[in-house]
Amino acid sequence: MTGDAFNIPNSLTLLRILLIPVFVGLLLYESYELALGALLLAGLTDALDGTIARVANQRTKLGSYLDPLADKLLLTSGFMTLAVLHLVPLWIAILVVSRDMILLTGTLVALLTDSPVDISPTILGKGTTFFQLAYLILVVVLTSRHMDVGTIQPLLYFMVALTAASGFHYLYRGFVRVNMGQV
């Protein structure tokens, strides 16, 4: 990892964070096509920051924390806003937000108690992020075209199962690490 926190990948991650209030505001003002553009731009910055960090060897400790935080903020804000607008069921937003809050709380507790913590993403976690983002994008696309969001219900249930499974997997991994640290 490099020590320079102000590099292109971290700048792209910061741009993704700055796009969140733009995305939410556009949703609230029912400018769904512009909101879709902001969401797609945020998704593009997510793909680019990781690729550039690996290829140009610009990985930083800040980036290892900031990138997943940006993803969580974007997804949490998106699901909460869509739930407020009654475009997704409230229980979906509660599930997504609760999972992320539980994982964030566990990470903070581990850090505060000097327990070993591994914030590296798992395949399940990456899959969850991908399918949550795909679901958000499709909800905004369908809404902007005045189409029934119910048509993507199979994706919704798959995303819910993946969200729950990855949450339990991260909790299990955390408990194993904490117990190993107490030996």
Side-chain angles (χ1 to χ4, degrees):
M1 293 203 183
T2 65
D4 186 15
F6 293 105
N7 59 21
I8 292 172
N10 288 349
S11 298
L12 288 169
T13 302
L14 288 174
L15 175 60
R16 186 161 72 253
I17 292 170
L18 293 174
L19 283 168
I20 294 168
V22 173
F23 170 61
V24 169
L26 290 167
L27 284 176
L28 292 173
Y29 282 101
E30 298 180 7
S31 297
Y32 298 116
E33 298 217 358
L34 291 174
L36 177 62
L39 183 57
L40 291 174
L41 182 58
L44 179 63
T45 65
D46 189 22
L48 283 175
D49 68 4
T51 302
I52 293 170
R54 281 187 298 281
V55 170
N57 194 27
Q58 293 186 355
R59 292 182 216 170
T60 64
K61 187 167 180 110
L62 175 64
S64 72
Y65 286 99
L66 205 55
D67 183 61
L69 179 63
D71 291 341
K72 299 212 177 316
L73 290 172
L74 176 64
L75 292 169
T76 297
S77 299
F79 278 102
M80 288 174 42
T81 305
L82 292 176
V84 166
L85 295 172
H86 304 290
L87 297 174
V88 300
L90 181 60
W91 66 268
I92 299 297
I94 292 169
L95 173 70
V96 170
V97 172
S98 296
R99 172 194 171 264
D100 289 345
M101 290 297 107
I102 290 167
L103 297 179
L104 181 61
T105 301
T107 302
L108 289 173
V109 167
L111 289 171
L112 291 172
T113 60
D114 291 326
S115 298
V117 63
D118 180 7
I119 62 161
S120 63
T122 65
I123 298 273
L124 270 174
K126 286 182 178 191
T128 298
T129 299
F130 174 81
F131 282 101
Q132 286 178 349
L133 185 59
Y135 182 76
L136 278 181
I137 289 170
L138 287 173
V139 167
V140 177
V141 165
L142 292 173
T143 301
S144 72
R145 291 178 176 48
H146 306 288
M147 297 172 70
D148 182 18
V149 176
T151 60
I152 58 171
Q153 202 145 17
L155 175 61
L156 169 68
Y157 292 130
F158 181 73
M159 186 223 23
V160 164
L162 207 53
T163 299
S166 68
F168 286 122
H169 181 253
Y170 279 122
L171 284 174
Y172 171 77
R173 190 171 83 161
F175 282 122
V176 167
R177 282 210 171 263
V178 168
N179 287 332
M180 285 175 48
Q182 293 178 354
V183 174

